[in-house]
Amino acid sequence: MTAQDLSESHFGGPSTKSDIFPYPNRGVMKTDILFSSPMIRFSRSQKEAILAWGRDMGAKDVPSLYGLENFQTSALHAVGDPTEKVEASSGNIFYMNSIYQALAHDYSHPEARTKMRLYPEFSETGIEEVWQASKWLVDAPDSVLTPMTRINGKDYFVNELVLCTDNLWFVPTRFFEFRGALWAKGRRAVETEHGLLVAEEPSVQPCSTFHRPWPEVQACLSDLPCIFAPPSQHFAQNMPHPDRQLAGGLEIECPPIIVFVDDVSGNTSKQWNVHYSAYMSNATLPRADLEKSANVHFIATSPHASPMEIIRAICEAVRKGSTTPFKVWDSVKKRHILFRPWILFLPGDNPMQAEMCSHIGLKGNHFCRMCHCGGDQKYKASDEGFTSLMTPGRARSVSETREAITSQLVMATHAAAEKPLKAAISASGVKDSFATPLLNLLIAKGKILRRATPTRKALNPELVNKQLYDKLMKNTGKPMCNPLLDMDGLNVHLDTPVEALHTHLLGVVKYFWAQTVWILEKKGRFADFQARLNSLSRIGLKVPNIMADYMCRYRGSLIGKHFKTISQIMAFAVCGLVDEVMQNAWLAIGRLTVLIWETKITDIKAFAKELREVIEETIDFAASLSPGLLTEKNKFHILAHLPDHVERFGPALLFSTERYESFNHIFRLCSIHSNRQAPSRDIARTFANQERCRHMVTGGYWQDKTSGDWVRASSAVLQHIANNPIDARLIGILPEKSPIPGDMTLLPLPPRVRGRPPPQHPVISWAQTESARLQPSIPSLPGRWHPAGSVIALNGDSAPVGAEVIVRSDAMGPSALNSFASIVEVLLSTSPSTSPSWVIVRDSILSPETHSDLKMPVINRTGSLRAVRPEDIICVINVQHDCITGRCTSSGTEHIRQEREQSIRTRQVVKHTASTFFVINVTSLHNQRHLRNTLPPRLLKQNPFFEDRSRLHLRAAQSLRDTKLQKKLAREAQVRRNAELALRNSVANSSHADFLGISTESVGTTGDEFGGTAPGSHMPVPSCHACSSIGHPDSSISAPRGPRQKKGARATRSAAPWVPPAPAMNGDEPREGRRSESSSSRRAVTISNMGTAPSTISPAPPRKRKRPARADPESSAAREALFRGSLQNHQEIDLNGDVTPQGLTAMIGIYMRHQRPCGMMEPSGNTHTREIYQEFARTQSRKYGLSGAQVTEVLAFSELSPVMMLIDLKIHQIRTENDFLHRFIRVFVRHPDFGTHLRHSVAAALLAPRIPAYVDGLNGQFTAYLEDNAEALLGIPESQKSDPADWSLVKTAIGIELANQRSGMRAKVCPCPLNHTVPVS
C-alpha cells in the first residue's frame, strides 16, 4: 500500500486534485505542517480546539485529530521510524533516534545531498570548513575515511594497486579534493626484474588518470609468480581491500558526524528538571548549513540515564556501522550506497567534555583534560607552577588514560585502598564515569570484609584482596571504561575542542567585566561608564541593541550575547576611567574575540601564531591585574589550547555550541507537553515526527513499501512550501531572501492629517540637496531624486546616512585602493532609466599613527564630498567618536523612549563636541575581513604589551604568595578580634568587679602603695572628666557597649553614685562601629576604691560635651617625671604576664599620675605627644605593609595606657598559645609517633596481668588510665585535657586502637568456631 493509499484509507478519496501527494487533501497537509512544527507546540486539547474552530467556521477538508494522528503514524513508518529502545547496563531505560535514519534523510534529500562533502579538501585559498582542516585531511586514520571512489563505472579502493593512463603504477592510501578535482595520496611503484617496487616516499596522483582497478590488474598479472618485489611484498597482503567484498558492488562512503551532549532543563520555568540530551550534526555540510536548526538532529534524552550511558549507546550504533555499513538511497546518484559514520569531534561545555575524557574536571588539581598541567595550590603559587599555567603542558594520550583507569580498578581490589585511590585520582586527574561506581562498590565491600561481625572475624588483607579481585572479574562483562577511548578516529583529549561561548565569553570576558565593574564602582565612575555605553554608536556592529542600561543594572547576571557585545565596545567605554593596564587588557580581549569569531583563515600558520600571542597577552594581563585568577579560574589555561584546535578543525565557529544551545529551546517545547510518564520516548517520537514532516514536504525521498520505488512529494506540495513563507518557517525552513545591493530605503513620511491629501515623498533637484549646500563647488548632477535614508551595500549591509563605509577603488580609478568615507546623503532617482541614483560621501582622511590610548586607527572627516554609485559601497564599519581628543563630557541628557513613545524620564549621555576625529573600531566582529584588507598593515600591527613575560610571571607569582599570606594573617587577625570582642562582651555581662584581676586580697591597702595617699582617703580628683572617676570611692568601671546596645543607652546602675565618664580625645563622642571605639574606648576602665572594696561594672551613661580644663604645668611635669622614673624601675614588672604586688601597685600609681586633662598638650619639655605616637605608628605600619584595618587597630592600641597595653599583649599571648595547642593536638593525633606510643601503651595494658582484659568497661578504664598519664605515655600536654573537643580526638583514637588489638589477640587466643574464616559474598 502506497502512502497515497494510506491517506485515502484514513480520509477517503481526495476532495481536491490528486497532486497533493502524499496528502489526501490540502487541509491535511496544512494541519500536518502546523501540528508538526518545531517552533510552535500544541497540547492535545489545543489541537482539538483548533480543529473544532476550523470546522465551526466552515473550513473545508478539516481532519479529525484521530485521523491525523493515524496518518502521521503511517507516514512515519513509510519514511522510517527512527525511535528505538535502549537499556543501559545499569538498568536505566531510555529511547533514542537512530543516527542511521538521520543521515539517511540527508542522503535521500536532494538539497542536502548536493552540499555534502565526503572527501577532505586541500585548499590553497584558506580554511573555512572542517574538511579543509588537518584532522580530516591529515590526522584521521585511513580506516575511518571514505575507502573508495567510482570513476567511469570502476571502483578504486585504497591500498590496492592501480594502473594509471600513463602506465604508472600507484597504490593510493587516501582520497582528497584539490582544485575542484579528486586526487589520491599514496605511493608510486616502478617495475623491476623482481616485480613492482613501491616507493617509500608518499606522492599524490589525480584520480582522473586511474585506468584499471585491482581486479583487472590482478587478472592481467595472474601469470606472474609474484607481482611485488620482495621489499614491497607486504603491500600484497592488503589486496584486495576488505571492503570490496563487503560492498558487493555498491559504493562505500564515510561521513563524519558531530555529537553534542549537554544537560538541559525540560521545563520552561525556573524549576530545574534535568535531562541529559544528545544532538548530532552532519559534518559534511557547510558551516552556514550547520548553523540552521533544521540540520541539528535529536538523538536521545533521559532524566534517568547518565550522559556516558547515552554516549555508550551512540558509540555502539557507530561501531555497528563499521562492521555492517548502512544502506541508503543517494538522491543525487539515484542509486543505493553504503555509508559508515565516524565521530569527528565532541563539542560541549568544559564539565561535559571533561566527563567524556574520563577527567576529573576543572575543580581538580590537574584540571586540564588535554594536558597534565596543574598541581596543588602550593605548586600553583610557586614560580614554576604559576608559569606552567600560561602554556599547554605535556599532552594526555588515550592509552595513558586507559592505563590509569585500569590501575585504579586494580588498586581498588586491595584492602584499605580508599586513600591511595583518592590520591591516585587527584595526582593523575583521571576519573572515569563508568569505573567510578565499580570503584565505590569495591571500596565499600573491602571495608565490610575488614570489619568483624558477630558471625565471623575480620578477614586478613590477603583474603580481602582475593575476594575483591573475584568481584572485579565478575563485572568484566559490564562496561567498566569510557567507550570513547576505544573509538577509531577519535582522540578524546584532542577532539574535545575549546568552546568559545563557555570558555571565552562566559569565562575570560566575564572575569574582566566583573573586575572592571568593581574598579569603576570603587572609584565612583560607574555612572560615567553607563553614560558612555549609552552613547556609543552601534552602526556597523550588527547587534540589535547595546542594552547599556540593562547590562549596568544586571551586571552580575549577563549572558553570552551581552559579553559578546561588551568585548567589542568595552575599550571605548572605559578609556580614561581605568588605569592603562586595564585599558590595554580590554584591547587584547577585543582582538582575541575578533580572532575567535573569524570565519575564514587565509594562512593557518600565521593565524595560529597570532592567536597564540593574543591569548598569551590576555593571560599576562590577568597575571598582572589579579594573579589569583589564574589559579582559581582554570579557563585561562584551557583557552591556551585553542590555537591547536583551530589548526585541527578550522575556525573556532565550527566547533561552537551556540547552535546546540539555541536548539535547547525546541527541546523544551517538545518536553513540556509530555505527561512525564515516558519523557524520553515521547520527546524522541515528537522529534521523529517533526523530521518526517520536514523531509516529506521539502522534497526528500522515501521508499514505497509496496513497489519498492523511491518516491517524493508532488510538485504542488513543494511549491506550497516555496510560496508560503509562514508554513516554511513553521517547519524550520527560513526563506533565504538576500538584500539587493544598491536598493534604497526612503525616509518615513509624516503622519497623515485628517481631511488633507496623504503626504508624498519630496522630489528635489541638485540645487536643493544637502550636498550642494555643504560644498557648493562640487559639480552638479542632472536629474531629480527622492531623499533616502539608507542604501544596501555590496555585502548586504544597510548603510544609513552618517555611517562610515568602505568605498570600492573603481570609483576613484583603477590604481586606487579602497578608501573610507562617511555617507552624507542618499539620492533615489525618480526615473532610473534616464538618471541614476547617487550616494554622496565625504572622504575620511586616515591618520598615519594609531590612537595614543586606544591603539586603533584614527580618521578625520574633513575630506571633500563626492558622488559614488550605490554599487560601490562595499560594507559598513563601526567607528566611534574620539572623545579623548574632543574632550567630550558626560553632561548630556536624552529622553528615554518607553512603549514606543518619548517619556519625560531622562538619562545621562555623553555630550559630543564638534571634533571630526573618529576611531575605527578594529575590535568589531562584523566586516573584519574587509577592514583588514583596507587598512595598511602598519596600523594593524600591535606591539607587545609586555616585553619581559618571564619577569612578569615571577613577579605575579610572588604577589600571589604575598596575597595568600596576607589573607591568612587577616583571617587569623579576624579570629583574634572576634575572640576579644566575645571576651569583652562576657566581661560586660558579668557582675565581677575585679576587671584587671586585682582584689583586696592580692593588693595591699596601705597608702604608700598608692603614691602616699592615706588609707581610706580620697585621691586628688583632676579637673577634667577623663580623670574624675579615678580614685573616687564610689566610682564604677564603665563597661563597653554590647553589640545590640545603642550608644548612650542606660543600663542598671550600681548603688554607688555615678561619676561622669571621660569624653573622647577630640572632644566628640566616638561613632558606633569605629575601630577606635572598640579598641580604645571599650578598653578604658576606671579603678576605684582599691583599698577598700571591689568596684562595680556598669555601662557608661550618656556623655556630655564639656570644655577641657587647663592643667597645671608644674603638676604635669611632676607627673611626667614620676611616669618616666617608674618606667625605669622595670624589675617589678614581669613581662611574661605575672605582675608582683609591688609592680602592680607601681603601675597603678603610674597610671593615675599619668592621666591629664583631655585636650591639654604635653609640657613644652616633652616632645612625645599623642600626634607623634600616632605618626610613628602610621610610619611603622606602612613600613611593614599592614592593611587598613590593621593600621586602625595599631592607632587605637597606641592610645592605651601602659597597663592596658601589657594586659592586651598578655591576652594575645595566651590566645596565641591556646590556638597553637589547639592546632597542635590535631596534627599530633595524626602523627605516626603518636600511633606508635598509643599502640605500645595499649598492648602493654592488654598484656598486663592486673588489668581485667575482655570485660565490659575496659575502654573507659583504659581511657581514664591514659588520661591520668597522658603526658608521660602519649606526650600530650596536660593543658589540652581541659578542652573536651581536643580530648575527644584522643579518646576516639584510643578506642579504635583498643578494638583493633583486642580483635587480633582474640583471634589468636580463643579457638572458638566463630573465628574461622567465613566467606562474604
Side-chain angles (χ1 to χ4, degrees), residues 498-532:
V498 177
E499 203 277 317
L501 172 62
H502 297 89
T503 307
H504 178 61
L505 294 182
L506 299 179
V508 175
V509 181
K510 181 179 179 180
Y511 303 151
F512 277 94
W513 162 261
Q515 190 169 9
T516 304
V517 168
W518 180 82
I519 292 174
L520 293 173
E521 290 177 341
K522 184 179 180 181
K523 291 184 176 182
R525 305 298 301 274
F526 193 76
D528 295 335
F529 168 74
Q530 185 172 352
R532 290 193 181 185

Side-chain angles (χ1 to χ4, degrees), residues 1299-1312:
N1300 292 338
Q1301 292 201 27
R1302 283 185 59 186
S1303 177
M1305 294 179 64
R1306 183 178 181 182
K1308 296 179 179 179
V1309 175
C1310 183
C1312 62

Side-chain angles (χ1 to χ4, degrees), residues 977-1256:
R977 286 193 294 268
N978 294 340
E980 291 173 4
L981 181 60
L983 177 63
R984 285 193 293 268
N985 291 338
S986 64
V987 173
N989 295 328
S990 67
S991 59
H992 195 279
D994 194 9
F995 185 76
L996 293 178
I998 306 171
S999 62
T1000 55
E1001 289 78 12
S1002 60
V1003 182
T1005 58
T1006 60
D1008 295 338
E1009 294 173 355
F1010 290 92
T1013 306
S1017 63
H1018 300 315
M1019 300 179 189
V1021 179
S1023 59
C1024 78
H1025 290 283
C1027 306
S1028 59
S1029 62
I1030 300 177
H1032 197 279
D1034 297 324
S1035 62
S1036 61
I1037 301 177
S1038 58
R1041 292 192 305 272
R1044 299 182 183 275
Q1045 184 178 351
K1046 294 184 179 180
K1047 183 164 50 177
R1050 298 175 182 241
T1052 304
R1053 300 182 183 180
S1054 62
W1058 170 73
V1059 179
M1065 293 299 294
N1066 57 359
D1068 294 331
E1069 198 172 28
R1071 291 182 294 174
E1072 187 175 5
R1074 293 279 304 266
R1075 177 65 61 185
S1076 60
E1077 191 269 340
S1078 62
S1079 300
S1080 176
S1081 64
R1082 292 189 180 185
R1083 289 175 179 145
V1085 295
T1086 304
I1087 307 173
S1088 64
N1089 205 6
M1090 291 277 185
T1092 58
S1095 58
T1096 305
I1097 301 176
S1098 63
R1103 301 180 180 180
K1104 298 181 180 180
R1105 299 184 181 182
K1106 186 173 181 181
R1107 293 186 60 185
R1110 288 183 171 271
D1112 186 5
E1114 296 180 1
S1115 61
S1116 299
R1119 285 195 299 269
E1120 179 184 0
L1122 180 60
F1123 173 74
R1124 293 177 180 274
S1126 300
L1127 285 183
Q1128 293 175 0
N1129 190 16
H1130 60 276
Q1131 65 273 8
E1132 296 181 358
I1133 302 176
D1134 186 359
L1135 296 181
N1136 291 327
D1138 296 327
V1139 184
T1140 62
Q1142 296 78 10
L1144 181 61
T1145 303
M1147 286 192 295
I1148 295 175
I1150 292 169
Y1151 174 77
M1152 293 179 175
R1153 290 168 177 79
H1154 185 58
Q1155 302 297 323
R1156 65 180 185 277
C1158 295
M1160 267 191 88
M1161 299 297 295
E1162 291 277 353
S1164 58
N1166 181 20
T1167 59
H1168 291 199
T1169 62
R1170 172 176 175 272
E1171 290 76 14
I1172 293 178
Y1173 291 147
Q1174 291 193 346
E1175 183 61 25
F1176 176 77
R1178 292 190 186 94
T1179 304
Q1180 294 298 104
S1181 299
R1182 286 193 299 267
K1183 178 179 178 181
Y1184 294 101
L1186 270 63
S1187 64
Q1190 294 170 341
V1191 173
T1192 304
E1193 187 175 5
V1194 171
L1195 294 177
F1197 185 81
S1198 66
E1199 295 185 7
L1200 297 179
S1201 65
V1203 177
M1204 294 180 181
M1205 289 183 180
L1206 293 175
I1207 294 173
D1208 190 272
L1209 291 175
K1210 182 60 180 178
I1211 291 173
H1212 280 288
Q1213 179 185 1
I1214 296 174
R1215 288 193 69 258
T1216 303
E1217 292 174 356
N1218 292 340
D1219 183 68
F1220 175 79
L1221 291 176
H1222 189 68
R1223 298 181 183 181
F1224 164 78
I1225 195 64
R1226 280 159 172 73
V1227 178
F1228 186 81
V1229 170
R1230 299 189 185 97
H1231 198 273
D1233 292 344
F1234 172 78
T1236 302
H1237 292 312
L1238 179 61
R1239 190 176 302 108
H1240 291 169
S1241 300
V1242 171
L1246 289 174
L1247 298 176
R1250 293 186 179 182
I1251 294 183
Y1254 311 115
V1255 296
D1256 295 337

Side-chain angles (χ1 to χ4, degrees), residues 955-971:
R955 187 168 63 248
Q958 182 63 42
S959 175
L960 177 63
R961 293 192 292 270
D962 294 343
T963 302
K964 289 186 175 182
L965 179 60
Q966 292 177 5
K967 289 182 178 180
K968 179 181 178 181
L969 296 178
R971 287 194 300 267

Side-chain angles (χ1 to χ4, degrees), residues 229-539:
S232 304
Q233 192 64 39
H234 60 279
F235 287 95
Q237 300 174 1
N238 300 324
M239 302 178 191
H241 195 280
D243 289 339
R244 180 178 288 276
Q245 182 179 0
L246 185 64
L250 299 179
E251 298 175 76
I252 297 181
E253 296 177 350
C254 298
I257 60 175
I258 303 170
V259 179
F260 172 83
V261 182
D262 194 15
D263 54 337
V264 57
S265 176
N267 297 346
T268 56
S269 62
K270 292 184 178 179
Q271 181 181 357
W272 181 252
N273 181 19
V274 63
H275 285 64
Y276 288 107
S277 302
Y279 310 139
M280 185 202 76
S281 295
N282 186 353
T284 62
L285 295 175
R287 183 188 62 84
D289 290 274
L290 289 177
E291 299 294 338
K292 299 177 181 179
S293 62
N295 292 320
V296 177
H297 303 285
F298 171 85
I299 299 180
T301 188
S302 176
H304 313 294
S306 67
M308 294 308 297
E309 289 177 334
I310 298 177
I311 283 290
R312 172 166 288 277
I314 296 174
C315 293
E316 290 176 354
V318 173
R319 288 196 188 99
K320 182 179 179 182
S322 63
T323 56
T324 306
F326 302 109
K327 185 178 180 180
V328 295
W329 173 260
D330 193 319
S331 57
V332 173
K333 299 178 180 179
K334 302 298 182 182
R335 58 178 179 264
H336 285 94
I337 67 166
L338 300 177
F339 77 88
R340 184 166 50 205
W342 58 286
I343 300 176
L344 182 63
F345 58 82
L346 300 166
D349 55 16
N350 291 294
M352 187 58 65
Q353 288 181 324
E355 187 166 0
M356 293 180 182
C357 296
S358 298
H359 186 257
I360 197 171
L362 293 179
K363 299 298 183 181
N365 286 340
H366 296 270
F367 53 84
C368 184
R369 66 180 181 271
M370 293 157 283
C371 69
H372 289 275
C373 179
D376 55 13
Q377 292 297 325
K378 182 178 180 181
Y379 176 75
K380 293 178 184 178
S382 65
D383 293 342
E384 178 185 0
F386 188 81
T387 305
S388 67
L389 301 177
M390 312 292 180
T391 56
R394 182 173 64 86
R396 294 180 181 267
S397 64
V398 173
S399 59
E400 185 181 26
T401 302
R402 194 185 298 109
E403 291 175 1
I405 297 173
T406 304
S407 65
Q408 292 174 10
L409 291 172
V410 174
M411 186 182 299
T413 61
H414 293 76
E418 183 175 8
K419 289 185 178 179
L421 185 60
K422 289 182 179 180
I425 293 176
S426 178
S428 64
V430 176
K431 184 179 181 181
D432 188 76
S433 298
F434 277 102
T436 299
L438 184 56
L439 294 175
N440 294 333
L441 177 64
L442 295 175
I443 293 297
K445 186 175 179 61
K447 290 181 178 179
I448 295 175
L449 295 176
R450 289 184 290 110
R451 187 183 303 120
T453 66
T455 60
R456 63 165 179 85
K457 68 174 185 179
L459 301 185
N460 57 44
E462 291 78 10
L463 293 177
V464 172
N465 296 348
K466 183 179 182 304
Q467 293 199 22
L468 292 180
Y469 182 79
D470 295 339
K471 184 69 175 178
L472 177 63
M473 290 297 102
K474 292 180 181 179
N475 289 269
T476 53
K478 299 179 181 180
M480 294 189 298
C481 188
N482 185 353
L484 294 173
L485 298 176
D486 299 324
M487 293 297 296
D488 292 336
L490 183 69
N491 185 332
V492 289
H493 300 298
L494 297 178
D495 297 336
T496 51
V498 177
E499 203 277 317
L501 172 62
H502 297 89
T503 307
H504 178 61
L505 294 182
L506 299 179
V508 175
V509 181
K510 181 179 179 180
Y511 303 151
F512 277 94
W513 162 261
Q515 190 169 9
T516 304
V517 168
W518 180 82
I519 292 174
L520 293 173
E521 290 177 341
K522 184 179 180 181
K523 291 184 176 182
R525 305 298 301 274
F526 193 76
D528 295 335
F529 168 74
Q530 185 172 352
R532 290 193 181 185
L533 276 183
N534 277 314
S535 306
L536 292 176
S537 173
R538 65 180 182 89
I539 299 176

Side-chain angles (χ1 to χ4, degrees), residues 34-35 37 40-47 50 669 673:
L34 178 62
F35 290 170
S37 170
I40 305 176
R41 302 300 306 157
F42 299 98
S43 64
R44 186 174 185 83
S45 59
Q46 290 172 338
K47 293 178 182 179
I50 293 172
L669 293 179
H673 292 305

